Amino acid sequence: MAGNSRRRGAMRKPGTKKGAVVGSGGQRRKALEGKGPTPRADERPGHPAQRKATAAAKAEQRRTKQEQGPELIAGRNPVVECLRAGVPATALYVALGIDADDRVTEAVQLAADRGISILEVARTEIDRLTGGAVHMGLALQVPPFAYAHPDELLTTAQESGDVPLIVALDGVTDPRNLGAVIRSASAFGAHGVVVPQRRSAGVTAVAWRTSAGTAARMPVAVATNLTRTLRAYAAEGLMLVGLDADGSMPIDDLTLATSPLVVVVGSEGRGLSRLVREACDATVSIPMAAGVESLNASVAAGVLLAEVARRRRAAGRV
């Protein structure tokens, strides 16, 4: 015991090691080469959390579709435009004693020709059905919107004979903006619109009205995971271009417009989400005069889609 310099159980000084210090063996340099941020568990293919999130999203989508009831489109112009567009309506409500003009006459005639029920009710009843919206004595009942699958949009675009063009909305929650984007997408030759399942507006009566009936002709798909859907489109050869106020280039330099394209539009407030922005091949901005605030989502989308259509016409790729 006399030759033992340390008592049993004695504490070592902080920072000291027992035995020789082992070198890194050259591994430290390799450790500095990062592989990027680790994806969240629910975004890793095959991970239990990812399978659970996918199953929950599908269940919620089914539940949402089951709970969604008929929608009412109010107003003489929107009703006539929807009937002209062939919106799958189920009933036309006409106020008793309505002051019939050309629009009312046309709406009744179109509904009768298509076998749509025409119901004459009190104006107060239409007030109740439409939640007090300005209806001018006319309201059109439409069934829940039939959403497509994102893969269907890609197939439609590839089989159209034209250069594919799809519009994706990242968190656009105002149905009026959604309706306006659908209308612009239809006007400028897009093959469909994709919206995320969560934190996004759906095709409600407000969206129907703003789209002026074009929602009947423009497929709208719901993506359970927008980032994953965009990457799937990219794997099929489509370029992803995000519309962002701080984009890497102005739309004047968008040479990708003539390529198979997905135009990604961010939300009204925060723009593109981080994961969606990282998935994009490029981000573009719209040059504006000094002192002017940024455009809302639907107007900005219309400007960009018009530029894409112009470049494709010029290149003969329409």
Side-chain angles (χ1 to χ4, degrees), residues 107-308:
V108 171
Q109 186 62 54
L110 288 171
D113 292 343
R114 292 176 48 192
I116 298 171
S117 300
I118 302 173
L119 308 175
E120 289 190 85
V121 298
R123 185 176 292 268
T124 54
E125 177 64 10
I126 301 181
D127 291 338
R128 185 188 66 81
L129 292 171
T130 60
V134 179
H135 53 75
M136 301 176 66
L138 278 186
L140 188 68
Q141 180 176 286
V142 296
F145 187 79
Y147 293 96
H149 189 278
D151 292 348
E152 296 177 44
L153 269 58
L154 181 61
T155 301
T156 299
Q158 292 172 334
E159 295 178 351
S160 67
D162 299 326
V163 181
L165 175 60
I166 295 174
V167 181
L169 303 184
D170 180 21
V172 174
T173 57
D174 188 338
R176 290 168 296 184
N177 271 336
L178 172 59
V181 169
I182 292 172
R183 189 170 186 173
S184 295
S186 179
F188 297 115
H191 297 99
V193 176
V194 180
V195 298
Q197 182 176 342
R198 299 182 180 181
R199 294 182 294 276
S200 174
V203 185
T204 62
V206 175
W208 270 115
R209 174 172 179 169
T210 312
S211 75
T214 55
R217 303 187 299 271
M218 177 60 53
V220 179
V222 175
T224 54
N225 185 306
L226 182 61
T227 304
R228 189 160 57 239
T229 296
L230 293 176
R231 288 174 177 161
Y233 285 163
E236 292 292 328
L238 277 69
M239 305 299 293
L240 310 180
V241 174
L243 182 57
D244 194 90
D246 300 320
S248 58
M249 68 176 75
I251 61 173
D252 301 338
D253 300 332
L254 185 58
T255 57
L256 292 174
T258 55
S259 304
L261 198 65
V262 180
V263 171
V264 189
V265 183
S267 66
E268 299 87 347
R270 60 185 178 85
L272 298 173
S273 62
R274 179 181 63 84
L275 292 176
V276 168
R277 184 184 292 107
E278 291 175 353
C280 290
D281 297 295
T283 55
V284 297
S285 60
I286 299 174
M288 294 187 295
V292 178
E293 295 184 1
S294 60
L295 303 173
N296 70 16
S298 60
V299 174
V303 172
L304 179 53
L305 289 171
E307 175 64 12
V308 170

Side-chain angles (χ1 to χ4, degrees), residues 24-36:
S24 67
Q27 300 301 316
R28 191 169 298 162
R29 183 176 301 171
K30 295 180 181 179
L32 294 176
E33 299 175 2
K35 297 182 180 179

